[in-house]
Amino acid sequence: MENQEQIERIEVFLRTVVLEELEKLQQAGLMYMNFVIMGQTVEVLGGFLDQKPMKAKGQSARRFASAVRYLLGGRYRLLNENNFLYDKLRNQMTHTFLPGGDLKLVNVGQEEGYTHLEVRDKCLILVAETFCEDIRKACGRLVQFLKEGRIKPKNIAFGNDN
């Protein structure tokens, strides 16, 4: 498959499966499930950054860290030192649906006065709408990296011929 076709397929996948689905979760008010999917999304984005197949085993922490480092950056990168975000957001939320005492998950409309990625009373605050917007920007960065040839596109089973 030609690179341009692969890039377009990835772009459609990110828009329809990742971003539109996250938006639907937010609109439905499903905050916890939204955070579960956003944590998984970070790992999926990291899967496009390496040269291994998307189904490669044992890549979860590496892929999450790569996406944080290269696509989210900034404060996310600092907060993921020692895999904190990976352990608390991706693992704990994926496997138990519980954020534990280290994270406070909020929606903007539900609890005012919280700032995304602030630490308050030894808890990291994650604001769903802000995190979702940062994931949207990370998807845009990924597509830009693909179009610039900075990373090689993967052939994903998505679209008309899967």
Side-chain angles (χ1 to χ4, degrees):
M1 178 181 292
E2 182 185 311
N3 275 359
Q4 184 58 36
E5 201 174 313
Q6 289 173 304
I7 293 168
E8 288 171 9
R9 183 172 289 193
I10 292 167
E11 197 168 8
V12 170
F13 169 79
L14 293 173
R15 184 177 61 251
T16 59
V17 174
V18 174
L19 299 175
E20 288 177 10
E21 295 288 322
L22 285 175
E23 182 66 27
K24 289 175 187 176
L25 285 169
Q26 279 194 330
Q27 289 173 356
L30 300 174
M31 183 180 65
Y32 271 65
M33 291 303 111
N34 199 10
F35 276 105
V36 169
I37 299 302
M38 286 190 285
Q40 287 292 114
T41 297
V42 174
E43 179 182 336
V44 169
L45 294 177
F48 287 103
L49 298 174
D50 64 30
Q51 297 302 310
K52 298 178 184 195
M54 290 299 275
K55 297 187 305 183
K57 295 184 186 285
Q59 301 306 305
S60 182
R62 284 184 195 96
R63 287 178 168 177
F64 188 95
S66 284
V68 167
R69 187 177 313 116
Y70 297 110
L71 301 175
L72 290 168
R75 184 135 169 81
Y76 289 99
R77 187 178 61 218
L78 295 173
L79 289 166
N80 198 46
E81 286 201 15
N82 299 316
N83 287 326
F84 177 81
L85 283 176
Y86 174 76
D87 289 335
K88 301 300 178 177
L89 176 63
R90 191 276 185 202
N91 278 349
Q92 195 161 324
M93 287 297 292
T94 296
H95 297 293
T96 68
F97 297 158
L98 299 169
D102 301 296
L103 295 181
K104 180 163 181 65
L105 309 177
V106 297
N107 280 330
V108 169
Q110 292 178 330
E111 298 191 46
E112 297 296 323
Y114 289 103
T115 302
H116 185 63
L117 301 180
E118 80 172 303
V119 176
R120 185 187 292 185
D121 300 322
K122 298 183 181 178
C123 285
L124 175 63
I125 309 299
L126 296 176
V127 178
E129 294 83 353
T130 306
F131 190 27
C132 192
E133 181 57 30
D134 290 344
I135 287 174
R136 178 176 303 285
K137 291 174 186 174
C139 288
R141 282 186 197 99
L142 175 62
V143 170
Q144 191 63 39
F145 289 168
L146 288 163
K147 289 179 177 180
E148 291 171 354
R150 292 171 63 183
I151 57 173
K152 183 179 174 187
K154 290 187 177 185
N155 189 21
I156 59 170
F158 176 78
N160 296 333
D161 58 348
N162 56 344

